[in-house]
Amino acid sequence: MAERIRRHDWAATALGPIAGWPPYLRTATDICLASPLPMAILWGERRIEIYNDAYRAIAQDRHPAILGRPMLGNWPEMQGWIGPILDRLFASGEAARLENRAVCLKDAAGHLQERRFDFTFSAIRDRYGRVAGALHTVAETTTRSRAERRLRELLDRTGLSPDFRALFQAAPAPLLLLAPPDFHILEANDALLRSDGRHREQLLGRTVFDILAAAHAGEDIERQLHESFTRVLASRMPDSMPMAMRQGSDGRAPTWWKIINTPVLGPHGEVALVIHRAEDITELVRLRSAADAQAELDHDQQALMASLRGTSATAAATHPGSGASRQLAATLDSIPDYVYAFDRQHRFTYVNHAMRDLFGLPAGQLLGKTFLELGYPTELARRLDGHIAHIFATGETVEDELFFTGPGGVRAYFQFVWGPVRTEDGGITQVVGVSRDTSDRRRMEERLRQGEARQSFLLQLGDQVRGLTDAARAVSTISTLLGRHLGAGRCGYGEVDPSGEYFLVERDWTDGAMPSLAGRVRLSDFGPQVLAHYRAGQTVVIEDTLEDARTQGAGRAYAEAGSIRAGVGVPLYKDGRFVAAFYVHQMRPRHWTDEEVALIGDVAERTWSVVARTRAERALRESARRYRALFDAVDEGFCLVEKTRAPAEAPSDYRYLATNPAFVRHTGIGGVVGRTMREVFPEASSFWYDTFDNVVASGEACRFEHGLLTHGRVFDVFVSRLEDGSRRRLAVIFNDVTERKRHEQHQRLLLNELNHRVKNTLVTVQSMAAQSFRHGVDPEQARQQFEGRLMALSRAHDILTREHWGGASLETVVQEAIAPWRDQHRDRLHAQGPAVWLPPRHALAFAMVLHELCTNAVKYGALSNDSGQVNIDWTVNDLLHLRWTESGGPPVRPPSGRGFGSRLIERGLRHEIGGQVDLRFAPGGVVCTIEAPLGEPGHPVHFA
């Protein structure tokens, strides 16, 4: 499109060649061409259209003929609803947005198909702030609209309550809502969007199988998902799939998911919807895999021990030269387990390579040494010596596990198996042992235990708050359960105020030693680094406020807040905004485990969900009670209308079902209930009906400003469809904003005019100064000239100020201009003509011209002697004709050059008001003839 625009014959259009385009149009074109979204520029009064490559998909076979042509001519079917929007935008600069608008375009086969789009129109202003064009963007919403429409139909059919969607969104588990039989995604809740990382628009309308394919899940998982859906449809019962693996990207490890499909039954028992839950269980899989691997290693360890007891590990040391010994030593040195042997004096007789690495000593410094000689603690050495003595005495195998810090500083848990090595006659010659570092397993078991405890706690928590209907009570219950479970000092939940500076806590739980944090808390008091973590959405974990670098300098705040020494804070972000946080505090330092932090995070999300649910339910309960009072008391006009049933070819109409008292105040019409809009407002434009039809069809609420021109009123209107199952009723709220619009327009006109006048005045003063004080002119004469011109400009401003800059009478301008010379030259200046009203720009220009003519007449012309006369007269037809005639003065000779006065007279009028000037230096006296249009060029469109 950039190349096509460069080649286009713009000289044949109202825009003219590109080289003459104003800079703001060229900049807007560059922005349009660079946008990946469909975008167009609509320029000038004719709305000439310029568009980018993405817009071609919208234009289809109209491209390229529509380039450089008026937009409303390019799209005649849209003229009825886009035309008024553009008229308002060009008149007032008012931006507009149309959501979910239906447009018929051809599909790949050439058939017309309805598609839906969001349209925006915003003003492009020239250097004076006037609207010169519009920037028009298009975003397709067809897929989203179809998904939402299908969801509403299914919710109506299944009889689910209106708050089902709100509860679905508030659920802490990742959920998709699918529509059989193709299983398109109709809705995705916030938890899924957070875990998946995609926007809702990227999911709605696609099948769940597309999402799996995009995640590289593999054909086997897709087959299992098909089978699960088949079981759900057949049994009408929830169905769980085997674990599903999603391949990692960029070298990351794969993730594992547990999938549950739950049916939502329709009125006849059919499966109308499927709730698809996909829960990330990667950590659980990893832990269980580690447990399985540990069990396998334990089995290998037992087998190795049995082998060692049969072959004697010390053979490698006793007969080092034999082939069997060398092979055995190489085998034992290659395994990661620690292998060793003792004699009856409890001295090491063999150690493998891993054992030597553990001690950091060569074999020569280990063999022949006892535990005490190797530096073992006395109690530990006595315990191990007891095991060896027991084996020599009984021949039994001993298994044990101990925590050991090696000479090299390695701290770890070790599990070992020791057993006897017997001779052929059954005697015990040695004790052989195999040890293994079990620290990872111990940590794994602890995490598994804590994970199971976390799940158990969350189930208990869900049972406790399920029936609660009050948000404060629910928060109190959650805080109490978690605080006691963790053995904390204080637990609570609070919300961030709109400024983002304060944390508001209604109530919390304490152990009796810590005070409550209820009230208003300034977030910044706890340290800028802590606040930065919160605002970045990061959980804050503090083990000791006196040692943590992030809390330095905030000790007083932590002390005053209950002597906080340790704590965890989980920020909650919703729709990109920091809205709330859950906190756990203690009065003593504490190491918080990963499982504890994860549990607090889970509880924080559940608290948000419970608060959202209880508030939604409370709002539903209170809405009916408040509805009637609000309906009657609001200042806004309010009405309920229902679309009438009529043949498809008949124009749309809506019947009034109810109105409030303010409806009559705003419209001046009462008694409309039972009547239709076309009966009450027969002059209303099609815009109203088109907009209402769109809201009825799509269910998408709409806000707009539009007028009833015959009433001379403009209304700010909000329209939404009632979700009562009828899909024909609308709630309409409106305000009369006529005075506001008039005030806004008047204010814009005043500001634009003031800006323009100040600039012009400064330019005029600058030019007067430059000409008056030019080189070679007597300074005193220059001062007098400059002051005279300033006074003329000032008198003209006084006239316009008295008239509030709405213009001035030509007679007043003339009389004020000649006033300084009337006393001195009494009855020698004559002015006459009909009443003429000059715009402000004309008044200033005529005042300056008349001043220069008077000054010239006094110095050189008819007023320089005692008998000269000056006559000023004017007439009006299509133009204003003003004539200045001097007579009776000294003979006139044309000047050798043009001074500032002459240039101001000739150029000023021509450039400033589009007038023509004929200045003649006739021998009998100067004659100046002026022709000027009376209209203000580029005057704004008046508000109607």
Side-chain angles (χ1 to χ4, degrees), residues 591-668:
H591 169 69
W592 303 95
T593 68
D594 292 343
E595 280 298 323
E596 288 172 338
V597 174
L599 174 61
I600 297 170
D602 284 345
V603 170
E605 288 292 342
R606 279 168 168 76
T607 304
W608 168 264
S609 300
V610 169
V611 169
R613 173 182 62 80
T614 55
R615 286 177 176 170
E617 292 172 348
R618 183 180 63 187
L620 287 172
R621 290 192 302 271
E622 293 179 352
S623 62
R625 177 178 55 82
R626 296 191 318 224
Y627 171 73
R628 189 72 249 174
L630 178 65
F631 185 73
D632 292 336
V634 294
D635 292 332
E636 291 82 4
F638 183 86
C639 61
L640 294 177
V641 297
E642 181 178 47
K643 187 171 184 178
T644 59
R645 299 184 184 275
E649 64 274 8
S652 294
D653 203 357
Y654 289 82
R655 189 174 306 280
Y656 288 98
L657 303 179
T659 63
N660 70 341
F663 180 95
V664 179
R665 291 199 302 271
H666 286 298
T667 64

Side-chain angles (χ1 to χ4, degrees), residues 207-421:
T207 71
V208 70
F209 306 109
D210 291 340
I211 305 302
L212 281 176
H216 311 290
E219 296 180 359
D220 186 56
I221 300 304
E222 185 171 345
R223 176 186 57 77
Q224 292 181 25
L225 188 57
H226 272 290
E227 293 174 352
S228 176
F229 288 145
T230 301
R231 292 191 294 270
V232 169
L233 295 176
S235 67
R236 293 178 294 176
M237 296 291 290
D239 182 78
S240 296
M241 283 178 55
M243 289 185 299
M245 183 180 76
R246 175 179 294 178
Q247 297 295 335
S249 59
D250 302 328
R252 292 181 296 177
T255 55
W256 292 86
W257 298 81
K258 178 181 180 182
I259 296 175
I260 302 174
N261 296 309
T262 304
V264 178
L265 301 183
H268 305 295
E270 78 282 7
V271 178
L273 294 167
V274 172
I275 300 176
H276 176 79
R277 174 176 175 174
E279 185 173 1
D280 188 345
I281 56 171
T282 305
E283 182 66 13
L284 183 60
V285 170
R286 191 185 70 80
L287 292 174
R288 288 179 176 172
S289 297
D292 293 341
Q294 182 64 36
E296 184 176 349
L297 289 173
D298 290 343
H299 179 269
D300 292 343
Q301 186 183 40
Q302 295 289 348
L304 175 62
M305 187 65 196
S307 175
L308 289 174
R309 290 209 305 262
T311 59
S312 178
T314 57
T318 308
H319 306 289
S322 68
S325 297
R326 287 197 301 271
Q327 182 178 4
L328 177 61
T331 300
L332 296 179
D333 281 341
S334 66
I335 64 177
D337 289 332
Y338 308 103
V339 182
Y340 41 88
F342 306 100
D343 60 15
R344 285 186 173 273
Q345 284 73 42
H346 302 181
R347 300 180 182 279
F348 283 97
T349 59
Y350 171 78
V351 290
N352 72 342
H353 190 273
M355 193 69 176
R356 296 195 294 271
D357 287 345
L358 176 64
F359 279 88
L361 297 172
Q365 296 184 31
L366 291 172
L367 299 180
K369 300 288 183 63
T370 64
F371 293 116
L372 282 174
E373 291 171 346
L374 288 173
Y376 277 57
T378 303
E379 289 300 321
L380 180 58
R382 184 178 296 118
R383 175 179 171 181
L384 296 176
D385 284 336
H387 289 326
I388 297 174
H390 178 78
I391 295 171
F392 275 112
T394 65
E396 296 177 353
T397 299
V398 174
E399 296 185 23
D400 198 359
E401 187 174 31
L402 55 86
F403 185 78
F404 172 65
T405 302
V410 178
R411 296 167 55 85
Y413 281 93
F414 290 91
Q415 180 188 50
F416 58 87
V417 180
W418 289 356
V421 178

Side-chain angles (χ1 to χ4, degrees), residues 708-744:
L708 287 172
L709 297 182
T710 56
H711 283 64
R713 315 303 295 169
V714 176
F715 298 103
D716 178 12
V717 185
F718 178 80
V719 187
S720 62
R721 191 177 76 184
L722 293 183
E723 299 301 336
D724 59 354
S726 69
R727 299 180 61 222
R728 303 180 65 82
R729 295 178 180 176
L730 300 177
V732 184
I733 303 173
F734 62 94
N735 241 331
D736 186 343
V737 294
T738 307
E739 292 305 318
R740 190 197 77 193
K741 301 296 288 185
R742 286 176 178 160
H743 175 74
E744 289 174 354

